[in-house]
Amino acid sequence: MSPVPVGGHLVVLDNEAVQALRSSSHAKHTSVLAHLDAGVARQERSAPLSIVVPTAVRAEVGWDRTDPRWAFANHLAIFDVPLHAEHADAAAAIRRRVDRAVSVVDAHVGAVVQAADAERITVITSDPKDMAAVAEQTPVVIVAI
């Protein structure tokens, strides 16, 4: 069973979206929060919202949930999606299939997107081309920050 939430609206955070949450002084902090707020507002009118971060993204960014510097992000309802064996296999297959060099982290985002059983999937990223590539045929809304 996949740890990716079922149904509703799934928002997946990529590297820079997570970086932006660490500090209000980050140039994209306000933009990321605005997109998350819009998702929450939409949730109140329709399907439930789940915000997730692949654990490979957290590791790449350095988001240690025990580190006080991440207190703001830790207070948000953002759930981890681990790079377990099923997602690792899917990420490896994505890297093999995709017609461009993508990182393990981006492939993990793709594995999360492809495993999702959601009515709507949004990825917040600073790299929309790579996210489109790793999503492959999965319908996804890519929000460039």
Side-chain angles (χ1 to χ4, degrees), residues 125-133 142-144:
T125 182
S126 63
D127 194 354
K129 288 182 182 176
D130 280 352
M131 292 303 104
I142 299 172
V143 175

Side-chain angles (χ1 to χ4, degrees), residues 3-75:
V4 176
V6 175
H9 182 189
L10 178 70
V11 176
V12 183
L13 303 179
D14 190 20
N15 184 312
E16 189 145 5
V18 172
Q19 287 180 39
L21 292 176
R22 181 172 174 201
S23 170
S24 60
S25 64
H26 190 285
K28 298 180 181 179
H29 181 81
T30 303
S31 176
V32 172
L33 287 181
H35 288 296
L36 295 179
D37 285 345
V40 170
R42 200 175 300 114
Q43 168 189 347
E44 293 170 359
R45 296 187 311 267
S46 61
L49 174 73
S50 298
I51 304 169
V52 301
V53 59
T55 54
V57 170
R58 273 205 319 112
E60 182 179 56
V61 172
W63 182 2
D64 175 352
R65 290 190 183 268
T66 66
D67 186 335
R69 293 175 292 182
W70 288 93
F72 177 78
N74 287 337
H75 283 83

Side-chain angles (χ1 to χ4, degrees), residues 90-103 106-107 110-111 114 129-137:
I94 288 167
R95 292 187 81 208
R96 186 176 58 251
R97 285 191 306 263
V98 169
D99 191 19
R100 61 190 292 136
V102 294
S103 70
D106 288 350
Q114 291 183 27
K129 288 182 182 176
D130 280 352
M131 292 303 104
V134 299
E136 295 182 296
Q137 301 305 312

